[in-house]
Amino acid sequence: MAAAFRLSKLALVQTLRSLVYARVGGSGSTCCRCPLGAKRYLLTNNIVKLREFQHKKVAIAHNLPGTKETYLRHLEEKLTQNKLILKEELGTLLHLCESRDDVELAKNVIYRYHAENRNVSLGEFKFGPLFMRLCYELDLEGSAMELIRDQHLRGFFSDSTSFNILMDMLFIKGKYKSALEVLIEMKNQDVKFSKDTYVLAFAICYKLNSPESFKICTALREEALLRGEVLSRRASCFAVALALNQNQVGKAASIFSQIMNPENIICTNLNLMIHIQSNMLETVIEILKDTAEGNLSRFVKKLKFSEEVLAKVRGKVKDVPALLARFDELYGKLHINGQVTTYSLDALLCHTPKDLKSHVVLSNKRTASRRTFQPLSQSLWAE
């Protein structure tokens, strides 16, 4: 069975390419429409790091010896005279760019720098994410697309973060087909997918909402599972929602059954949608009953249903008087309990989760020296 789903890298890339260039247009979400849902951020701030990038830009500009114009002119002269571009010079330049013209110079410097250092190991530092954050800030997804797909810059964008930031940028603007092309390019360049990549990939396919994008999502998911990847709950929720939109209820139920810890608002609503589309109306009523009449302690987080999803329940039971009466009673209780949200399922899916990493890092910081076992000074701890 597993062998039937196994795709070689080449076969998978060819499949993705043929599907995206054939007619993956998509009409967007059909069962999950909402004005809030069209253009939402998917990556958290601790991945995009735009604020940190902007703070560093201010610091570098403040500490620059001389003016920005003099610095840019110096780099233009180095390009003209075929002089070596230093790592620090490129880093400073990327933090000084404030306009499209500045970015054009940066692009030329990147080409020269990469040509000079193509075979040189520079440790863990990557310029790719810096350039993507710059394009993110200046709204230049076209420049980002141009460079990340250029064969002459193979290896410059060797990290998943660069591709993820670009896909997020395109997702925000509703350019889902372009975002899918970036995903294919990432696959072509053998860049390892991160957990965020799968979230973006499945979200893009969900937004395209076509039979072809469903095939792409399924192929990527099966490949990941065969490699032993652990897909996040968020990624799986997008896959479930896409399957539901494509009326693949059995597939949606199968994916949902593999989600670890499905006790959150999105999973609650997806589970109800699966039962609605399976015409399991008695079970739907029981789910609502358990939620409305279950543990209502103020210390227990209440599960909520989307008004949009509840409207679908009503549409299903309206011709069955007994079920309709039970639904109306439970619907009232859910409202009284504060267990109904006006957000659509689409808005809930595309909502960016809060950053938790920074709080974990702070709580795990060492307060004592490993060598002397003495308390670290506040200044050292801050570093």
Side-chain angles (χ1 to χ4, degrees):
M1 179 70 177
F5 290 106
R6 187 172 287 110
L7 291 171
S8 68
K9 171 185 172 293
L10 179 60
L12 181 57
V13 169
Q14 289 174 339
T15 301
L16 294 177
R17 188 184 293 116
S18 64
L19 290 173
V20 74
Y21 291 117
R23 52 186 181 87
V24 180
S27 57
S29 306
T30 54
C31 75
C32 311
R33 287 199 184 115
C34 173
L36 293 174
K39 298 178 182 178
R40 305 296 294 272
Y41 297 86
L42 288 182
L43 294 182
T44 56
N45 290 330
N46 69 306
I47 300 296
V48 179
K49 294 184 178 177
L50 185 60
R51 186 175 299 174
E52 292 91 331
F53 175 69
Q54 291 172 328
H55 286 169
K56 192 167 183 181
K57 285 184 74 172
V58 173
I60 286 177
H62 178 73
N63 294 319
L64 190 70
T67 65
K68 169 192 163 183
E69 290 71 22
T70 302
Y71 190 85
L72 298 188
R73 191 160 53 247
H74 167 69
L75 283 180
E76 288 174 343
E77 290 171 357
K78 292 192 79 170
L79 288 176
T80 304
Q81 299 167 10
N82 289 320
K83 290 185 177 179
L84 190 69
I85 302 294
L86 302 178
K87 174 182 173 181
E88 292 75 14
E89 290 176 326
L90 176 55
T92 300
L93 172 61
L94 291 175
H95 285 93
L96 289 177
C97 290
E98 297 176 310
S99 67
R100 186 180 295 271
D101 288 341
D102 292 345
V103 173
E104 286 302 312
L105 173 60
K107 285 159 63 176
N108 292 331
V109 173
I110 285 171
Y111 278 108
R112 171 66 63 77
Y113 180 84
H114 185 63
E116 293 169 347
N117 297 279
R118 188 187 303 271
N119 300 315
V120 178
S121 174
L122 296 171
E124 293 300 314
F125 189 80
K126 307 288 184 186
F127 280 111
L130 271 186
F131 181 74
M132 288 301 159
R133 289 176 186 120
L134 175 62
C135 292
Y136 201 102
E137 178 192 39
L138 299 180
D139 217 21
L140 296 175
E141 71 276 5
S143 295
M145 283 278 288
E146 175 193 344
L147 263 63
I148 211 165
R149 298 173 68 180
D150 195 318
Q151 299 292 319
H152 295 97
L153 288 178
R154 279 293 182 96
F156 187 82
F157 301 100
S158 59
D159 57 285
S160 62
T161 302
S162 295
F163 287 87
N164 291 345
I165 292 174
L166 177 52
M167 284 189 283
D168 190 52
M169 198 187 325
L170 293 165
F171 185 93
I172 290 166
K173 297 193 170 191
K175 297 181 178 180
Y176 308 124
K177 186 172 179 180
S178 295
L180 190 56
E181 291 172 3
V182 173
L183 183 72
I184 293 170
E185 186 62 36
M186 187 175 181
K187 197 76 178 173
N188 281 334
Q189 295 189 27
D190 286 319
V191 177
K192 181 177 172 57
F193 283 18
S194 67
K195 289 186 178 181
D196 290 308
T197 307
Y198 286 107
V199 171
L200 287 157
F202 295 173
I204 291 162
C205 290
Y206 156 77
K207 282 294 189 178
L208 287 168
N209 189 31
S210 67
E212 290 78 12
S213 70
F214 177 65
K215 290 177 184 176
I216 291 171
C217 181
T218 301
L220 289 172
R221 183 174 175 277
E222 296 293 352
E223 184 200 43
L225 294 177
L226 286 169
R227 284 206 312 267
E229 301 274 2
V230 178
L231 297 175
S232 69
R233 178 172 63 183
R234 196 173 182 214
S236 296
C237 284
F238 277 115
V240 172
L242 173 58
L244 287 172
N245 284 351
Q246 290 297 307
N247 294 314
Q248 300 289 334
V249 185
K251 187 67 174 178
S254 174
I255 298 171
F256 187 86
S257 69
Q258 298 173 52
I259 295 177
M260 301 291 288
N261 302 318
E263 294 82 19
N264 75 344
I265 187 171
I266 299 174
C267 290
T268 298
N269 283 273
L270 285 174
N271 184 42
L272 200 63
M273 283 296 301
I274 290 170
H275 286 87
I276 292 169
Q277 290 185 221
S278 300
N279 288 313
M280 301 171 66
L281 303 185
E282 288 284 354
T283 306
V284 167
I285 296 299
E286 286 303 313
I287 292 172
L288 295 177
K289 182 176 184 294
D290 289 344
T291 306
E293 300 177 355
N295 190 340
L296 299 179
S297 167
R298 63 191 180 91
F299 299 108
V300 177
K301 187 175 182 180
K302 297 177 182 178
L303 294 177
K304 294 185 179 183
F305 293 103
S306 167
E307 189 76 69
E308 172 196 55
V309 174
L310 291 175
K312 292 183 183 299
V313 177
R314 173 179 283 278
K316 282 284 189 177
V317 302
K318 65 180 181 180
D319 297 324
V320 186
L323 291 182
L324 180 59
R326 290 172 65 190
F327 170 76
D328 285 340
E329 179 186 354
L330 293 170
Y331 179 78
K333 288 182 179 180
L334 288 170
H335 265 285
I336 291 171
N337 297 338
Q339 292 177 282
V340 179
T341 177
T342 56
Y343 286 115
S344 70
L345 183 51
D346 181 75
L348 294 172
L349 281 163
C350 296
H351 175 70
T352 306
K354 295 178 181 178
D355 287 334
L356 299 176
K357 186 175 179 181
S358 58
H359 301 296
V360 173
V361 170
L362 284 173
S363 65
N364 288 339
K365 278 186 180 290
R366 285 188 299 116
T367 59
S369 167
R370 289 195 182 102
R371 184 175 63 86
T372 65
F373 301 104
Q374 296 299 312
L376 292 171
S377 70
Q378 190 64 38
S379 59
L380 288 176
W381 188 18
E383 293 176 2

